């Protein structure tokens, strides 16, 4: 069953890719979508088996690489973590497949689109079910490829192509670390299969490794390298710039890849390697710090963006920060829990945003929306549910997972974790603010769009609203149902060594702290209501008065500009320098061209010897003969 | 085993084909008979070489299918050929690419078709002969003979600056050849043997080894090519006809890597140990430097040529790591590069045939008119980038794994290629394939036709096959490489 979950989407892709012109496009849409729903069904069956304490299972498929003692297999690792990721990936993917039938209705390349979605799902499933680091890397780069193809799906748009390249290249910077990390793990442990690595971890807790003439604690160092990969894929501070630009892709793509599944691969990697990370004290502090910093940094940008998708994109970035600082303080279960709930509500938010965009004829600027609640009430209520879930409204899914993360940070008892805790509360305030701002600008207040567009705004068809409904159910109930298993009473039996659980009885935040975090959310909403409730005048005045801060946030802290100056321009300058000065002037100048210059100069002298007189030649030959004979006599 | 001289038949079948073609009357209009005769000959050679693979004994590290005849009575020179795990895939690469080259030249070679086909058949014979030689003198003869048809192909059927390019090509390789000949004479004087098989080991004094190593280095470093001996390659590629570039990138560059493994590692282990830091430095410089230069190129072929130099940097790192992962990675990278870069040049050929320009700026938006072309080009681009699941990944990654044991600086250098290759290839792809068609001349460009499909699709399949089932290729070469490593370690353990 697990095998079919993984390979069915690949089949769907190959069907679209190889036989893409044989049938009506509906055949492809229906077949890929039903394949995904079948996979979803299978995944939930497997998940329920794991809830009932199924044993970890490893399905061997084929030997992939054997080189000396470097042996890598194609195989499927089925444990609780895989099962959780299976339901997340397949459920969201099935919803997105279905939704795309409606959303991409007018696009001429529907078949290609469905094919890419299935291809992505295949790679993602390979990633989460891998039993070794290299097969995971195969999935890891594979989802990167699918993301590249889908961001650049509308390849006639230059901005989309640029964003696609940016995503791929920034991810490659992360992969640079990941690849070296795998090589390092093989060097230290002599294997890259998870179980064999984990069984040896104890022996290396004090071990030191030499790298670039420095000495590092081995496990810290290896975890750090892998985390660089995770930072790239999960768009953490420094390597985050690709994610907002990835919104150039069609909205279902943003929901599937750049919110619910692919970007969480980094979190998954850290959780998967948790037995290793447990010994990486320094790296854990680093992860906590980066996570917290990303959470607030991205949230601060989301406050002022006007593109509806960009707000949600930065929100994703920020929520990923939460997951990472949870992982950093050792609460891997809370981290994965948030990953799961986040997948539902963030996919819901994105698809709802897509529904809005669909209704508004591809308008994404929230300044040109407003008052849409009356026109598209269903979409608006879905967006409300998603927003309530993300801010952690009691008993919705986000409430449980976020609360659990804050708890763990609070009790982690180190300085950086406490910093993360405070940042987490502040970010919750910002989250509430930007979520409400989005709701106000889009659905409430007066209409600011072209009247013609507003009048034509209509609720989306059933294929688009049904997935919203499914995801909304997930956003509401996934917290209350799963909390006991993921973080609560049954967590030990449920996780069963799939990830590392820190020894702590389930503690609740002290009442005062809990109240503070809840009031932070309330304050966020309140501020938003005060500013945006009637019209935009107050907001405009405020942005004018707070200009330096406002511009900083609006322009994303100028990180893109900085990178462009520091990296892109330098690279092109260096490239031209090496080419023109290095190759053409120096190497060619001293090499072949120099030699030919010398030869042509000297040959004009040599030609003097070619006098044409026979006795000149005879004399020269005689001289040569003498010299050769002399040489032979001596040696 | 087969009791007829399979290797010799494979070597000389193209040559016999060439002799037959000599007597075919050249039809003024199409020369269709000559083309078909050439194609069938090369296909026959390919099929025979597949038998070589199928019958290959994986458990035997040394030469198989050996044939040996005394050549000169007074000297220990032999016609001695055979195949081991290292040369097997080099031969297969040559026989696989040659028929594709013939197909690629089907319509775009209009002048002197007969001579062109003769050159290619002769080229195939000497390429295979070189990889199959077990006698050093025989190896040298074939090694140098490769230059002649290649020189002609660039010089006669090349582009506008073909004379400059072929001159540069010749000048560089000549320098190497002369030194290599001297080295071979010195070897013979020291050991009275010309057998590659016999000389595997440690037969020369330390100082002799240093000299011999440098002499061979001069030849192989130019061929592969290593920085800073690489500047002939972009020019040669740009001026060569498509098929010329394919053979140049696909097979001729591998002569350098093959030579390094056989001669430097196999026969001169102590000197190799001494020179390893030099090789590593040059290779890392090559990866970073030429990747950046590739980024700045405006000519598609030049860009791919520079990327070849960077990829070969990975190969030289892998070879001189002298461990299992490094060497197998280097071999995989050579095979992969042989397929991928050949395919990329063929892809360039497709649009060059239609538009007669290779300027990147001329193109853009091809996907709108040529979706199938865009797809196959994408597969090869990903192979060049080294995406897992394509052939390019296996070699690159094995080298990184092998390098970690050796030095962290080398790992960083090799892994840096991961980032840079993505930058220049994706940037190239974006500029020629994606976007909208802005150039009116491209408005009616046609997608690839059946002939081009027959050329490109087998290559695309092999690129993916190699990425997913690399053991098909790693298993046969394993023991032969192990033998080299063992000899090397014994020699340096003293």
């Amino acid at each position: 069953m697990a095998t079919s979950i993984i390979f069915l989407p690949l089949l769907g892709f190959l069907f679209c890719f190889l036989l893409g012109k044989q049938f009506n496009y509906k055949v492809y849409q229906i077949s890929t979508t039903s394949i995904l729903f079948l996979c979803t069904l299978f995944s939930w069956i497997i998940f329920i088996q794991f809830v009932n304490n199924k044993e970890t299972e490893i399905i061997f498929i084929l030997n992939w690489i054997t080189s000396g003692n470097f042996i890598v297999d194609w195989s499927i690792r089925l444990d609780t973590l895989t099962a959780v990721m299976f339901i997340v990936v397949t459920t969201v993917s099935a919803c997105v497949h279905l939704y795309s039938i409606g959303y991409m209705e007018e696009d001429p390349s529907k078949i290609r689109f469905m094919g890419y979605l299935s291809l992505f799902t295949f790679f993602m499933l390979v990633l989460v079910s891998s039993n070794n680091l290299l097969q995971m890397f195969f999935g890891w780069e594979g989802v990167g490829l699918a993301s590249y193809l889908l961001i650049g799906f509308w390849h006639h748009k230059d901005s989309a192509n640029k964003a696609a390249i940016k995503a791929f290249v920034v991810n490659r910077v992360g992969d640079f670390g990941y690849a070296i990390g795998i090589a390092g793990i093989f060097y230290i442990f002599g294997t890259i299969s998870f179980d064999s690595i984990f069984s040896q971890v104890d022996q290396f807790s004090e071990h030191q490794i030499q790298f670039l003439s420095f000495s590092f604690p081995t496990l810290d160092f290896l975890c750090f390298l892998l985390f660089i990969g995770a930072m790239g894929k999960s768009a953490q501070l420094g390597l985050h710039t690709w994610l907002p630009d990835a919104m150039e892709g069609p909205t279902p793509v943003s929901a599937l890849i750049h919110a619910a599944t692919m970007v969480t691969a980094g979190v998954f990697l850290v959780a998967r390697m948790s037995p290793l990370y447990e010994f990486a004290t320094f790296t854990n502090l680093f992860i906590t710090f980066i996570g917290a910093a990303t959470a607030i940094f991205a949230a601060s940008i989301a406050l002022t963006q006007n593109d509806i998708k960009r707000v949600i994109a930065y929100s994703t970035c920020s929520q990923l920060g939460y997951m990472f600082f949870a992982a950093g303080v050792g609460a891997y279960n809370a981290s994965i829990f948030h990953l799961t709930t986040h997948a539902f509500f963030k996919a819901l938010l994105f698809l709802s945003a897509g529904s809005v965009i669909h209704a508004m004829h591809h308008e994404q600027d929230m300044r040109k929306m407003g008052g849409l609640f009356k026109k598209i009430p269903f979409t608006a209520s879905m967006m409300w549910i998603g927003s309530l879930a993300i801010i952690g409204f009691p008993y919705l899914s986000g409430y449980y997972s976020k609360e659990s993360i804050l708890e763990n940070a609070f009790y982690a008892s180190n300085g950086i974790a406490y910093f993360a805790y405070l940042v987490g509360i502040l970010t919750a305030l910002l989250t509430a603010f930007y979520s409400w701002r989005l709701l106000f600008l889009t659905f409430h207040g007066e209409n600011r769009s072209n009247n013609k567009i507003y009048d034509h705004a209509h609720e989306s068809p059933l294929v688009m609203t049904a997935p919203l409904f499914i995801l909304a159910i997930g956003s509401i109930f996934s917290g209350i149902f799963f909390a006991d298993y993921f973080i609560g009473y049954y967590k030990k039996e449920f996780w069963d060594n799939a990830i590392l659980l820190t020894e702590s009885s389930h503690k609740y935040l002290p009442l005062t702290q809990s109240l503070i975090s809840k009031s932070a959310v309330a304050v966020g909403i309140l501020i938003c209501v005060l500013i945006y409730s009637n019209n935009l005048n107050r907001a405009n005045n405020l942005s004018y008065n707070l200009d330096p801060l406002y511009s900083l946030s609006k322009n994303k802290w100028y990180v893109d500009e900085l990178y462009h100056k520091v990296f892109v321009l330098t690279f092109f300058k260096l490239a031209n320098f090496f080419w023109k000065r290095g190759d053409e002037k120096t190497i060619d100048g001293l090499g072949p061209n120099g030699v030919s210059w010398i030869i042509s100069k000297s040959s004009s002298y040599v030609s003097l010897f070619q006098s044409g007189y026979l006795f000149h030649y005879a004399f020269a030959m005689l001289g040569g003969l003498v010299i050769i004979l002399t040489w032979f006599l001596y040696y | 085993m087969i009791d007829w001289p399979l290797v010799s038949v494979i070597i000389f079948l193209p040559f016999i084909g060439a002799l037959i073609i000599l007597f075919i009357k050249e039809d003024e209009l199409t020369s269709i008979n000559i083309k078909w005769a050439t194609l069938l000959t090369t296909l026959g050679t390919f099929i025979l070489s597949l038998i070589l693979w199928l019958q290959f004994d994986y458990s035997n590290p040394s030469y198989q299918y050996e044939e040996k005849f005394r050549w000169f009575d007074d000297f220990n020179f032999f016609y001695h050929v055979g195949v081991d795990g290292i040369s097997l895939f080099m031969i297969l690469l040559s026989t696989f690419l040659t028929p594709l080259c013939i197909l690629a030249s089907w319509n775009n070679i209009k002048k002197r078709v007969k001579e062109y086909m003769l050159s290619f058949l002769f080229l195939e014979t000497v390429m295979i002969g070189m990889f199959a030689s077990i006698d050093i003198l025989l190896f040298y003869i074939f090694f140098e003979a490769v230059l002649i048809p290649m020189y002609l192909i660039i010089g006669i059927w090349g582009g506008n600056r073909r004379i400059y390019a072929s001159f540069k090509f010749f000048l560089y390789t000549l320098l190497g050849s002369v030194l290599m000949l001297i080295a071979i004479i010195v070897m013979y004087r020291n050991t009275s043997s010309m057998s590659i098989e016999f000389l595997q080991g440690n037969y020369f004094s330390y100082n002799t080894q240093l000299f011999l190593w440098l002499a061979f280095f001069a030849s192989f470093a130019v061929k592969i090519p290593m920085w800073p001996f690489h500047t002939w390659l972009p020019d040669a590629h740009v001026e060569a006809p498509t098929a010329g570039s394919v053979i140049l990138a696909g097979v001729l560059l591998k002569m350098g890597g093959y030579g390094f493994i056989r001669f430097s590692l196999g026969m001169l282990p102590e000197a190799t140990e001494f020179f390893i830091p030099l090789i590593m430095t040059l290779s890392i410089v090559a990866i970073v430097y030429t990747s950046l230069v590739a980024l700045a190129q405006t000519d598609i072929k030049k860009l791919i040529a520079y990327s070849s130099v960077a990829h070969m940097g990975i190969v030289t790192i892998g070879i001189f790591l002298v461990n299992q992962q490094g060497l197998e990675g280097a071999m995989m990278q050579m095979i992969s590069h042989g397929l991928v870069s050949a395919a990329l040049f063929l892809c360039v050929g497709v649009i060059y045939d239609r538009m007669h320009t290779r300027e990147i700026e001329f193109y853009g938006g091809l996907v709108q008119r040529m979706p199938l072309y865009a797809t196959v080009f994408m597969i090869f681009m990903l192979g060049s980038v080294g995406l897992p699941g394509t052939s390019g990944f296996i070699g690159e990654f094995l080298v990184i794994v092998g390098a970690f044991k050796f030095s962290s600086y080398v790992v960083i250098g090799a892994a840096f290629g991961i980032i840079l290759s993505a930058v220049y290839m994706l940037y190239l792809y974006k500029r020629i394939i994606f976007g909208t068609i802005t150039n009116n001349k491209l408005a009616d460009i046609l997608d690839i036709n059946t002939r081009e499909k027959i050329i490109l699709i087998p290559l695309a399949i092999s690129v993916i096959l190699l990425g997913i089932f690399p053991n098909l290729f790693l298993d046969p070469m394993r023991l032969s490489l192990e033998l080299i490593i063992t000899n090397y370690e014994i020699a340096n353990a003293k």
Side-chain angles (χ1 to χ4, degrees), chain B residues 4-14 16 65 67 69 79 81:
Chain B
W4 42 285
L6 181 60
V7 177
S8 289
V9 171
I10 294 175
I11 297 176
F12 289 105
L13 187 64
I16 294 164
Y65 309 100
E67 294 161 38
F69 307 101
Y79 171 80
V81 291

Side-chain angles (χ1 to χ4, degrees), chain A residues 119-371:
Chain A
L119 180 70
F120 167 78
T121 312
F122 163 71
F123 279 127
M124 192 69 206
L125 292 169
V126 170
L127 194 163
V128 298
S129 66
S130 160
N131 190 35
N132 61 59
L133 282 166
L134 201 67
Q135 188 188 326
M136 194 157 152
F137 194 55
F138 171 79
W140 186 272
E141 290 264 281
V143 290
L145 166 69
S147 154
Y148 163 78
L149 292 171
L150 283 164
I151 296 171
F153 181 76
W154 286 317
H155 40 52
H156 52 85
K157 272 167 71 184
D158 194 47
S159 55
N161 296 327
K162 279 193 181 132
I165 292 187
K166 190 171 176 183
F168 199 91
V169 170
V170 174
N171 267 298
R172 277 253 154 166
V173 175
D175 294 346
F176 168 79
Y178 191 174
I180 299 179
I182 299 176
I185 283 184
F186 175 71
Y187 173 64
I188 296 292
F189 295 100
T191 173
I192 54 168
S193 303
F194 294 132
D195 288 330
S196 334
I197 298 172
F198 299 154
S199 63
Q200 299 176 49
V201 169
D202 297 356
Q203 304 161 26
F204 293 97
S205 55
E206 301 292 319
H207 194 261
Q208 298 273 321
I209 191 171
Q210 293 289 326
F211 201 83
L212 296 183
S213 322
F214 292 102
S215 181
F216 300 100
T218 305
L219 297 178
D220 255 324
F221 176 70
L222 295 176
C223 287
F224 184 78
L225 286 175
L226 293 182
F227 181 62
I228 293 177
M231 278 174 72
K233 194 109 290 183
S234 294
Q236 292 299 287
L237 190 60
L239 297 179
H240 66 281
T241 52
W242 65 272
L243 184 58
D245 287 13
M247 298 305 131
E248 289 291 340
T251 309
V253 173
S254 313
L256 176 62
I257 302 184
H258 306 115
T261 55
M262 184 186 84
V263 288
T264 61
V267 181
F268 170 80
L269 170 68
V270 174
R272 178 57 94 202
M273 299 305 287
S274 52
L276 206 64
Y277 274 91
E278 193 49 26
F279 291 89
T281 328
F282 169 75
T283 305
N284 280 335
L285 293 179
F286 182 73
I287 294 176
T288 316
F289 176 75
I290 289 285
T294 309
I296 191 149
F297 168 81
S300 75
I301 296 175
L303 296 178
T304 55
Q305 299 301 309
N306 289 321
D307 183 323
I308 185 167
K309 283 178 75 183
R310 282 194 182 241
V311 175
I312 311 178
Y314 277 108
S315 151
T316 306
C317 217
S318 164
Q319 297 300 314
L320 289 165
Y322 272 105
M323 296 174 209
F324 271 112
F325 77 68
V329 299
Y332 303 104
N333 55 340
S335 177
I336 293 294
F337 189 32
H338 196 54
L339 186 160
T340 311
T341 57
H342 173 260
F344 288 114
F345 61 69
K346 192 49 68 67
L348 175 62
L349 284 172
F350 258 120
L351 292 186
S352 308
S355 181
V356 172
I357 295 167
H358 190 72
M360 297 296 286
H361 293 277
H362 298 279
E363 179 59 73
Q364 302 192 7
D365 191 334
M366 293 192 296
R367 285 170 301 187
K368 296 180 185 154
M369 294 179 186

Side-chain angles (χ1 to χ4, degrees), chain A residues 62-64 66-67 69 134 137 141 149 155 161 168 172 176 211-213 575 578-579 582-583 587-588 592-593, chain B residues 164 168 228 230-231 289 292 297 306 325 328 385 388 397 408-409 415 418 426 434-435 467-471 478:
Chain A
L62 196 76
N63 180 259
W64 181 16
T66 303
S67 173
N69 50 350
L134 201 67
F137 194 55
E141 290 264 281
L149 292 171
H155 40 52
N161 296 327
F168 199 91
R172 277 253 154 166
F176 168 79
F211 201 83
L212 296 183
S213 322
F578 282 152
W579 182 27
D583 265 23
I587 297 176
D588 275 357
N593 295 351
Chain B
Y164 173 73
K168 205 168 172 183
H230 65 280
T231 57
Y289 179 107
L292 282 172
Q297 296 307 309
Y306 274 109
Q325 286 88 30
E328 287 182 10
V385 167
F397 193 77
S408 44
Y409 292 96
I418 289 185
L426 294 185
F434 285 151
I468 295 184
F469 306 105
N471 281 342
R478 177 163 304 123

